[in-house]
Amino acid sequence: MSQILIGEILACLMFLGVIGVLLIGFPVAFSLAGTALIFGLVGWLLGVYDPSNYGSLIGRYVGLMSSETLVAVPLFVFMGVMLERSGIAERLLLTMGKLFGNLRGGLGISVVIVGAMLAASTGVVGATVVTMGLISLPAMLRAGYDPKLATGVICASGTLGQIIPPSTVLIFMGDMLSGINAQVQMEKGNFAPEPVSVGALFAGALLPGILLVILYLLWVIFKAVTDPKSAPATPVPEAEKKDLGREVMVALVPPLLLIVAVLGSILKGIATPTEAASVGSVGAMLLAMANRKFTLSILRQAVVSTATITSMVFIILFGAAVFSVVFRMMGGDNLVHAFLSSMPGGAIGATIIVMAIMFMLGFILDTFEIIFIVIPITAPVLLTLGVDPIWLGVMVGVNLQTSFLTPPFGFSLFYLRGVAPSSVTTTMIYRGVIPFVVLQVVALAILFLVPQLITWLPGLLYK
């Protein structure tokens, strides 16, 4: 058996081994690095892997730690956590509930709208789902909503932060795709390629995010029309209608101003994502002060939560770097390139295969785990075949949004299960998210057939 074949077999076994170890329950970062080190040792003993390749990790780690773009990640996380503590989400949910309460499905519509606004101002999925679960779910159940519809719309709306900017997933995607695209273009002889910026990815994700919001709203309206008992109206008492206009302005204007300041400055090229994130963090603290929710205790909680989330993500990234080096140096990348290049349909067929694999992995792995493992392996092949990097990044973002909803390991399901009353069973939550997973697949199909929904705005703003 040739050395090349032995290396490729080990690379395949390593990929399957990582998934198996993760299913057993080992921590993600240590599973990635540990499995890679074990297979690297086996490869060294068999003469198909050179341990000196680990030396390349030093430069990669230093590059990650000194990346100005990735500084935006903890800043956006802090902004989201601080806004969640400031009471903005609670005020938005209560006000929107009153505004749409007289309509059938009004509470569901308000949850989708608030989910979109929180996604554009915080981007923290867990905090959004928990907040809406604590406030909206009891109100929807008291109003007579079908528990499956209520839980489904809360889980799905809470995950919009994965694709609607500012999204930490898109920040990492932009950093990864920028390096991969530069390498691919240099191999093609293009030594001055168009950069893949986080701002361009944010612009590309804007219309797909709106598309998902529209699909969710249409589903709620469809249920309200075809099955009125599942989404009844909740009339607002006349006494509460008097000040409703003022309440709407107070609830909507502050987060809208923050969204315009952060996203507007990025999309217009006034500020980099890191600079905009710093402004957003200060703005979140000011809003907390305005709502009289800013204390040293809340600030400490926000800082600790930010450090915890950021550390978790970066440790996974460092572990994935070890996995990527071993996989590539044992010939795994050549195997993947040969496999995807041989797909019928060329770039289209290869992209469909990669998207299908990512969708299936979403049932058992987290979003960050998938992008840190799969993107370094598959993106070079797809970009070599001519796939647009901005389109690819946004498509992956929409695809992996489903990983938060797909049983058995969808994190949004766990978040909601933790705050839902005992009358709402886990089966109800699982069944409730199925229509929204289907809607996300429909959105993927639309974006695949009409790629201009992703590429038009970046082309307008950045070229």
Side-chain angles (χ1 to χ4, degrees):
M1 188 179 295
S2 69
Q3 297 292 93
I4 294 176
L5 183 58
I6 293 174
E8 291 177 346
I9 292 173
L10 285 177
C12 292
L13 291 176
M14 185 174 70
F15 186 82
L16 296 175
V18 163
I19 295 175
V21 170
L22 291 174
L23 288 175
I24 293 172
F26 283 96
V28 177
F30 307 121
S31 298
L32 289 171
T35 305
L37 289 173
I38 291 171
F39 275 87
L41 176 61
V42 174
W44 176 54
L45 294 175
L46 294 176
V48 296
Y49 179 74
D50 184 357
S52 64
N53 290 318
Y54 291 130
S56 65
L57 291 171
I58 299 173
R60 183 174 299 191
Y61 287 169
V62 171
L64 288 172
M65 290 186 289
S66 59
S67 171
E68 183 180 336
T69 301
L70 295 184
V71 174
V73 173
L75 289 172
F76 275 129
V77 171
F78 176 83
M79 184 180 82
V81 175
M82 182 56 68
L83 284 174
E84 185 260 331
R85 301 284 199 280
S86 70
I88 283 181
E90 181 177 353
R91 178 176 290 181
L92 271 174
L93 285 165
L94 295 175
T95 305
M96 291 296 103
K98 292 180 183 179
L99 185 63
F100 293 100
N102 290 325
L103 301 174
R104 281 188 311 202
L107 284 179
I109 292 172
S110 67
V111 166
V112 175
I113 293 174
V114 171
M117 291 193 64
L118 292 178
S121 55
T122 69
V124 181
V125 172
T128 304
V129 173
V130 169
T131 302
M132 294 198 294
L134 287 171
I135 299 170
S136 294
L137 184 57
M140 296 172 85
L141 295 177
R142 284 196 303 269
Y145 268 67
D146 183 344
K148 295 190 294 297
L149 176 61
T151 55
V153 75
I154 288 173
C155 285
S157 301
T159 63
L160 288 169
Q162 282 295 101
I163 190 62
I164 294 180
S167 164
T168 53
V169 171
L170 293 179
I171 294 173
F172 281 107
M173 200 90 69
D175 185 72
M176 296 170 71
L177 288 175
S178 179
I180 294 171
N181 184 59
Q183 180 181 347
V184 168
Q185 294 303 318
M186 287 180 65
E187 290 175 356
K188 290 183 175 181
N190 179 10
F191 296 98
E194 287 287 335
V196 181
S197 67
V198 173
L201 274 177
F202 279 5
L206 206 54
L207 291 181
I210 294 172
L211 172 65
L212 280 171
V213 172
I214 292 172
L215 290 175
Y216 293 170
L217 289 173
L218 290 176
W219 175 252
V220 173
I221 294 170
F222 173 78
K223 290 291 290 184
V225 172
T226 59
D227 186 11
K229 292 182 180 179
S230 68
T234 53
V236 180
E238 290 296 326
E240 297 184 13
K241 289 183 178 180
K242 296 179 181 179
D243 295 328
L244 186 57
R246 184 183 65 82
E247 288 182 27
V248 171
M249 290 296 294
V250 171
L252 282 179
V253 171
L256 282 177
L257 288 176
L258 188 63
I259 291 169
V260 170
V262 174
L263 290 186
S265 61
I266 295 173
L267 298 179
K268 291 291 290 183
I270 299 172
T272 66
T274 303
E275 293 165 346
S278 63
V279 172
S281 297
V282 174
M285 289 190 285
L286 292 176
L287 289 180
M289 291 177 187
N291 287 344
R292 298 180 180 178
K293 293 289 183 71
F294 187 84
T295 64
L296 288 178
S297 175
I298 287 178
L299 179 61
R300 184 181 65 83
Q301 293 173 21
V303 170
V304 170
S305 181
T306 300
T308 302
I309 295 171
T310 305
S311 299
M312 177 194 70
V313 174
F314 274 86
I315 289 174
I316 294 173
L317 180 56
F318 289 164
V322 181
F323 178 90
S324 178
V325 165
V326 177
F327 184 87
R328 190 173 67 252
M329 293 304 174
M330 287 200 298
D333 56 343
N334 294 328
L335 186 64
V336 171
H337 189 284
F339 173 72
L340 293 179
S341 300
S342 64
M343 286 294 104
I348 295 176
T351 304
I352 292 174
I353 291 296
V354 171
M355 290 295 162
I357 291 172
M358 286 187 171
F359 180 79
M360 297 303 295
L361 288 175
F363 283 83
I364 55 176
L365 299 180
D366 176 46
T367 298
F368 287 108
E369 300 162 17
I370 297 172
I371 64 171
F372 292 157
I373 295 172
V374 179
I375 291 296
I377 295 173
T378 60
V381 183
L382 296 178
L383 297 186
T384 300
L385 292 174
V387 175
D388 183 274
I390 300 297
W391 181 82
L392 177 62
V394 175
M395 287 290 286
V396 170
V398 176
N399 190 351
L400 294 185
Q401 191 179 340
T402 60
S403 69
F404 275 87
L405 297 179
T406 45
F409 298 123
F411 279 87
S412 286
L413 312 180
F414 294 152
Y415 295 142
L416 188 59
R417 174 68 277 169
V419 297
S422 57
S423 59
V424 177
T425 66
T426 303
T427 303
M428 289 178 180
I429 298 176
Y430 281 7
R431 292 176 62 188
V433 299
I434 290 174
F436 293 94
V437 173
V438 173
L439 290 175
Q440 289 177 342
V441 174
V442 169
L444 268 178
I446 293 173
L447 295 173
F448 198 91
L449 295 173
V450 191
Q452 292 80 7
L453 288 172
I454 296 174
T455 58
W456 172 75
L457 191 55
L460 184 67
L461 295 176
Y462 291 92
K463 292 182 180 178

